Amino acid sequence: MRRRRALTAGDRGQVTIEFLGMTPTILVTLVVLWQLVLVGYTFTLAGNAADEAVRAGTASEGQAACEEAGLKHLPGAWEGGATVQCTANGEFVTANVSLDVPILFPGAIALPFTVDGHAGAVQEED
């Protein structure tokens, strides 16, 4: 019995040490995954804003309605650095939306690149 205790006594606290050693790796992995989620969500928002903008541009006349619709469907954290450009070439309306990608927290510092969303549709007839 005494010999068995002597063999297992050397492993005491091993799990704690391993957990403490892996904690920074786990945290860095979670931060990287969260940042990738934010980049993907920004792509989704840019595409949706471009779709909404071009939809408004084809249904009404004027670029102001198109640009307003593109900004209307963005959350406040992404709306600040957003640019919406609408163009109408004859019967075709296009919308280009550029959004800043936030670092870790929406509304805080942005990454040094933007995400673009593009959409186009044929102008509706009266």
Side-chain angles (χ1 to χ4, degrees):
M1 187 81 158
R2 185 173 262 197
R3 182 177 233 180
R4 186 173 189 193
R5 283 187 189 166
L7 291 176
T8 60
D11 290 340
R12 283 190 147 171
Q14 184 65 30
V15 172
T16 304
I17 297 299
E18 288 176 5
F19 178 75
L20 288 175
M22 287 301 296
T23 300
T25 304
I26 293 168
L27 291 177
V28 167
T29 302
L30 290 175
V31 166
V32 168
L33 288 175
W34 175 247
Q35 187 60 49
L36 290 174
V37 166
L38 283 178
V39 170
Y41 186 56
T42 304
F43 272 102
T44 302
L45 288 175
N48 183 54
D51 288 342
E52 293 293 335
V54 81
R55 185 175 295 126
T58 59
S60 68
E61 295 183 20
Q63 294 179 349
C66 180
E67 292 173 1
E68 182 181 331
L71 292 174
K72 179 182 174 186
H73 296 306
L74 291 174
W78 279 268
E79 191 175 18
T83 58
V84 180
Q85 297 175 344
C86 298
T87 56
N89 298 334
E91 297 179 4
F92 197 70
V93 177
T94 60
N96 296 319
V97 177
S98 294
L99 299 177
D100 293 334
V101 180
I103 296 178
L104 295 182
F105 300 104
I109 303 168
L111 289 173
F113 64 90
T114 59
V115 168
D116 299 322
H118 308 285
V122 176
Q123 183 76 33
E124 293 180 6
E125 294 182 14
D126 292 329

Short mmCIF file of all heavy atoms in Angstrom, two decimals, residues 61-91:
data_model
loop_
_atom_site.label_atom_id
_atom_site.label_comp_id
_atom_site.label_asym_id
_atom_site.label_seq_id
_atom_site.Cartn_x
_atom_site.Cartn_y
_atom_site.Cartn_z
N GLU A 61 -36.62 56.58 -57.47
CA GLU A 61 -35.72 57.34 -58.33
C GLU A 61 -34.81 58.17 -57.46
O GLU A 61 -35.25 58.83 -56.54
CB GLU A 61 -36.52 58.21 -59.29
CG GLU A 61 -37.34 57.39 -60.25
CD GLU A 61 -38.07 58.25 -61.25
OE1 GLU A 61 -37.67 59.40 -61.46
OE2 GLU A 61 -39.03 57.76 -61.82
N GLY A 62 -33.55 58.12 -57.74
CA GLY A 62 -32.59 58.92 -57.00
C GLY A 62 -31.61 58.07 -56.21
O GLY A 62 -31.95 56.99 -55.71
N GLN A 63 -30.40 58.58 -56.13
CA GLN A 63 -29.35 57.86 -55.42
C GLN A 63 -29.45 58.05 -53.92
O GLN A 63 -28.93 57.23 -53.16
CB GLN A 63 -27.99 58.33 -55.91
CG GLN A 63 -27.73 57.96 -57.35
CD GLN A 63 -26.38 58.45 -57.83
OE1 GLN A 63 -25.73 59.22 -57.15
NE2 GLN A 63 -25.97 58.00 -58.98
N ALA A 64 -30.12 59.10 -53.47
CA ALA A 64 -30.21 59.35 -52.03
C ALA A 64 -30.96 58.22 -51.32
O ALA A 64 -30.55 57.78 -50.25
CB ALA A 64 -30.89 60.68 -51.76
N ALA A 65 -32.04 57.75 -51.93
CA ALA A 65 -32.79 56.64 -51.34
C ALA A 65 -31.96 55.37 -51.31
O ALA A 65 -32.03 54.59 -50.35
CB ALA A 65 -34.08 56.42 -52.10
N CYS A 66 -31.19 55.18 -52.34
CA CYS A 66 -30.33 53.99 -52.42
C CYS A 66 -29.28 54.01 -51.31
O CYS A 66 -29.11 53.03 -50.58
CB CYS A 66 -29.67 53.95 -53.79
SG CYS A 66 -28.56 52.56 -54.05
N GLU A 67 -28.58 55.12 -51.16
CA GLU A 67 -27.54 55.22 -50.14
C GLU A 67 -28.12 55.17 -48.73
O GLU A 67 -27.54 54.57 -47.83
CB GLU A 67 -26.74 56.50 -50.36
CG GLU A 67 -25.92 56.44 -51.64
CD GLU A 67 -25.25 57.75 -51.97
OE1 GLU A 67 -25.40 58.72 -51.21
OE2 GLU A 67 -24.57 57.79 -53.01
N GLU A 68 -29.27 55.78 -48.54
CA GLU A 68 -29.92 55.76 -47.22
C GLU A 68 -30.33 54.34 -46.83
O GLU A 68 -30.18 53.93 -45.68
CB GLU A 68 -31.14 56.67 -47.23
CG GLU A 68 -31.86 56.76 -45.90
CD GLU A 68 -33.08 57.64 -45.98
OE1 GLU A 68 -33.09 58.58 -46.79
OE2 GLU A 68 -34.03 57.39 -45.20
N ALA A 69 -30.85 53.58 -47.78
CA ALA A 69 -31.26 52.20 -47.50
C ALA A 69 -30.06 51.33 -47.16
O ALA A 69 -30.16 50.43 -46.33
CB ALA A 69 -32.02 51.62 -48.68
N GLY A 70 -28.93 51.59 -47.81
CA GLY A 70 -27.73 50.81 -47.51
C GLY A 70 -27.24 51.04 -46.09
O GLY A 70 -26.81 50.11 -45.41
N LEU A 71 -27.31 52.27 -45.62
CA LEU A 71 -26.87 52.58 -44.26
C LEU A 71 -27.91 52.19 -43.21
O LEU A 71 -27.56 51.89 -42.07
CB LEU A 71 -26.57 54.08 -44.14
CG LEU A 71 -25.35 54.58 -44.91
CD1 LEU A 71 -25.26 56.09 -44.82
CD2 LEU A 71 -24.08 53.93 -44.39
N LYS A 72 -29.16 52.18 -43.60
CA LYS A 72 -30.25 51.90 -42.66
C LYS A 72 -30.16 50.49 -42.07
O LYS A 72 -30.49 50.27 -40.92
CB LYS A 72 -31.59 52.08 -43.37
CG LYS A 72 -32.79 51.79 -42.52
CD LYS A 72 -34.05 51.96 -43.33
CE LYS A 72 -35.27 51.53 -42.54
NZ LYS A 72 -36.48 51.56 -43.36
N HIS A 73 -29.69 49.55 -42.86
CA HIS A 73 -29.68 48.15 -42.44
C HIS A 73 -28.36 47.71 -41.80
O HIS A 73 -28.11 46.52 -41.68
CB HIS A 73 -30.04 47.24 -43.60
CG HIS A 73 -31.43 47.44 -44.11
ND1 HIS A 73 -32.53 47.38 -43.30
CD2 HIS A 73 -31.91 47.73 -45.34
CE1 HIS A 73 -33.62 47.61 -44.00
NE2 HIS A 73 -33.27 47.83 -45.25
N LEU A 74 -27.53 48.67 -41.41
CA LEU A 74 -26.27 48.34 -40.74
C LEU A 74 -26.39 48.60 -39.25
O LEU A 74 -26.97 49.61 -38.84
CB LEU A 74 -25.13 49.20 -41.31
CG LEU A 74 -24.70 48.91 -42.74
CD1 LEU A 74 -23.67 49.94 -43.17
CD2 LEU A 74 -24.15 47.52 -42.85
N PRO A 75 -25.82 47.73 -38.42
CA PRO A 75 -25.76 48.03 -36.99
C PRO A 75 -24.91 49.28 -36.74
O PRO A 75 -24.04 49.63 -37.54
CB PRO A 75 -25.09 46.80 -36.39
CG PRO A 75 -25.24 45.72 -37.41
CD PRO A 75 -25.29 46.41 -38.73
N GLY A 76 -25.16 49.95 -35.64
CA GLY A 76 -24.48 51.20 -35.33
C GLY A 76 -22.97 51.10 -35.32
O GLY A 76 -22.28 52.04 -35.72
N ALA A 77 -22.42 49.99 -34.88
CA ALA A 77 -20.96 49.84 -34.80
C ALA A 77 -20.32 49.81 -36.18
O ALA A 77 -19.18 50.22 -36.34
CB ALA A 77 -20.61 48.56 -34.04
N TRP A 78 -21.03 49.36 -37.20
CA TRP A 78 -20.48 49.30 -38.55
C TRP A 78 -20.89 50.51 -39.37
O TRP A 78 -20.29 50.81 -40.39
CB TRP A 78 -20.95 48.03 -39.26
CG TRP A 78 -20.16 46.83 -38.91
CD1 TRP A 78 -19.06 46.37 -39.55
CD2 TRP A 78 -20.39 45.93 -37.83
NE1 TRP A 78 -18.60 45.23 -38.93
CE2 TRP A 78 -19.39 44.94 -37.88
CE3 TRP A 78 -21.33 45.85 -36.82
CZ2 TRP A 78 -19.32 43.89 -36.97
CZ3 TRP A 78 -21.26 44.82 -35.91
CH2 TRP A 78 -20.27 43.85 -35.99
N GLU A 79 -21.91 51.22 -38.94
CA GLU A 79 -22.44 52.33 -39.71
C GLU A 79 -21.47 53.51 -39.78
O GLU A 79 -21.41 54.23 -40.78
CB GLU A 79 -23.76 52.79 -39.09
CG GLU A 79 -24.54 53.74 -39.93
CD GLU A 79 -25.89 54.05 -39.31
OE1 GLU A 79 -26.08 53.81 -38.10
OE2 GLU A 79 -26.73 54.57 -40.04
N GLY A 80 -20.66 53.71 -38.73
CA GLY A 80 -19.76 54.86 -38.68
C GLY A 80 -18.73 54.88 -39.78
O GLY A 80 -18.46 55.92 -40.38
N GLY A 81 -18.14 53.76 -40.11
CA GLY A 81 -17.09 53.72 -41.13
C GLY A 81 -17.58 53.21 -42.47
O GLY A 81 -16.78 52.82 -43.32
N ALA A 82 -18.89 53.23 -42.69
CA ALA A 82 -19.45 52.67 -43.92
C ALA A 82 -19.54 53.72 -45.01
O ALA A 82 -19.82 54.89 -44.75
CB ALA A 82 -20.84 52.10 -43.64
N THR A 83 -19.30 53.28 -46.23
CA THR A 83 -19.54 54.12 -47.40
C THR A 83 -20.42 53.35 -48.36
O THR A 83 -20.19 52.17 -48.63
CB THR A 83 -18.23 54.53 -48.10
OG1 THR A 83 -17.53 53.35 -48.49
CG2 THR A 83 -17.35 55.36 -47.20
N VAL A 84 -21.46 54.01 -48.85
CA VAL A 84 -22.39 53.41 -49.81
C VAL A 84 -22.39 54.27 -51.06
O VAL A 84 -22.61 55.48 -50.98
CB VAL A 84 -23.82 53.33 -49.22
CG1 VAL A 84 -24.77 52.71 -50.23
CG2 VAL A 84 -23.82 52.53 -47.93
N GLN A 85 -22.12 53.66 -52.20
CA GLN A 85 -22.11 54.37 -53.47
C GLN A 85 -23.07 53.67 -54.42
O GLN A 85 -22.94 52.47 -54.68
CB GLN A 85 -20.72 54.39 -54.08
CG GLN A 85 -19.71 55.14 -53.24
CD GLN A 85 -18.32 55.03 -53.82
OE1 GLN A 85 -18.05 54.18 -54.67
NE2 GLN A 85 -17.43 55.88 -53.36
N CYS A 86 -24.01 54.44 -54.93
CA CYS A 86 -24.99 53.90 -55.86
C CYS A 86 -24.83 54.60 -57.21
O CYS A 86 -24.62 55.81 -57.27
CB CYS A 86 -26.40 54.14 -55.34
SG CYS A 86 -26.74 53.31 -53.78
N THR A 87 -24.92 53.82 -58.26
CA THR A 87 -24.85 54.37 -59.62
C THR A 87 -25.95 53.75 -60.46
O THR A 87 -26.29 52.58 -60.29
CB THR A 87 -23.48 54.09 -60.28
OG1 THR A 87 -23.26 52.68 -60.28
CG2 THR A 87 -22.36 54.79 -59.55
N ALA A 88 -26.51 54.56 -61.35
CA ALA A 88 -27.54 54.09 -62.26
C ALA A 88 -27.04 54.34 -63.68
O ALA A 88 -26.84 55.49 -64.08
CB ALA A 88 -28.85 54.81 -62.00
N ASN A 89 -26.83 53.27 -64.41
CA ASN A 89 -26.38 53.36 -65.80
C ASN A 89 -27.53 52.91 -66.69
O ASN A 89 -27.68 51.71 -66.96
CB ASN A 89 -25.16 52.48 -66.05
CG ASN A 89 -23.97 52.91 -65.22
OD1 ASN A 89 -23.89 54.07 -64.84
ND2 ASN A 89 -23.08 51.98 -64.93
N GLY A 90 -28.34 53.84 -67.11
CA GLY A 90 -29.49 53.49 -67.95
C GLY A 90 -30.51 52.69 -67.16
O GLY A 90 -31.17 53.20 -66.28
N GLU A 91 -30.62 51.41 -67.46
CA GLU A 91 -31.61 50.56 -66.81
C GLU A 91 -31.02 49.71 -65.69
O GLU A 91 -31.73 48.92 -65.09
CB GLU A 91 -32.26 49.64 -67.84
CG GLU A 91 -33.03 50.37 -68.91
CD GLU A 91 -33.64 49.41 -69.91
OE1 GLU A 91 -33.51 48.18 -69.73
OE2 GLU A 91 -34.24 49.90 -70.86
#
